Amino acid sequence: MAELTVQDIYEIASSFLYEYDGDDEDSRRFSIHFLNVLLEETLNCENSIREYKGKERLEEAPYVRNLTDIIDYSPSLTRTALPYGLAAQFFQENMDNFQAENYRAKYLAAVQDAGKMNTGVVEKGYGA
């Protein structure tokens, strides 16, 4: 399983706008900062996946500084949720509020789908 870099996630997100690497230097430069916010937002989800797989939890979200940094998160976050979240920021920057909200909703749904905290079975309910 290949690990994705910040550059990889940036390129996936850019593809939703039909842009190539370098088409928008501001998006490229700010993608690192936007991604750091998304990594913090998805830390609980990543930790739920790690617990589910029997791996050690992260104490804090990774902080990336370069486009070459590897994101050590689950593929369900790096290949889907994080690109959607980053694309939402790009659409907002382009003042396309409809698509910004659309991709923010896709991001939130992907994070929820990736989480593993609600996989147990409820054995007792109210009044039991």
Side-chain angles (χ1 to χ4, degrees):
M1 174 171 30
E3 295 176 318
L4 296 185
T5 64
V6 174
Q7 177 73 29
D8 295 326
I9 294 169
Y10 159 74
E11 288 179 11
I12 295 167
S14 294
S15 71
F16 296 127
L17 284 82
Y18 297 95
E19 291 181 356
Y20 293 102
D21 183 20
D23 282 356
D24 187 339
E25 281 302 315
D26 285 339
S27 291
R28 188 170 198 262
R29 188 172 62 247
F30 289 117
S31 65
I32 295 171
H33 304 292
F34 291 147
L35 193 52
N36 278 319
V37 172
L38 296 172
L39 290 170
E40 186 65 36
E41 286 181 347
T42 56
L43 177 62
N44 287 335
C45 182
E46 173 61 23
N47 278 334
S48 76
I49 296 167
R50 287 172 178 257
E51 279 185 23
Y52 182 77
K53 293 181 176 181
K55 294 175 139 183
E56 188 174 334
R57 291 172 55 92
L58 296 175
E59 291 294 319
E60 59 185 33
Y63 189 84
V64 296
R65 290 184 169 79
N66 300 295
L67 291 167
T68 56
D69 290 351
I70 293 173
I71 307 296
D72 186 24
Y73 266 23
S74 167
S76 59
L77 292 174
T78 59
R79 294 180 184 180
T80 306
L82 295 176
Y84 283 157
L86 193 54
Q89 294 297 327
F90 293 165
F91 279 114
Q92 185 173 334
E93 174 192 350
N94 286 340
M95 296 193 181
D96 186 340
N97 291 332
F98 174 79
Q99 288 296 357
E101 288 300 317
N102 180 32
Y103 277 87
R104 181 69 181 175
K106 288 177 184 250
Y107 160 73
L108 294 173
V111 170
Q112 183 175 6
D113 288 347
K116 299 294 185 194
M117 293 303 279
N118 295 320
T119 59
V121 175
V122 176
E123 294 182 16
K124 291 186 177 182
Y126 292 104

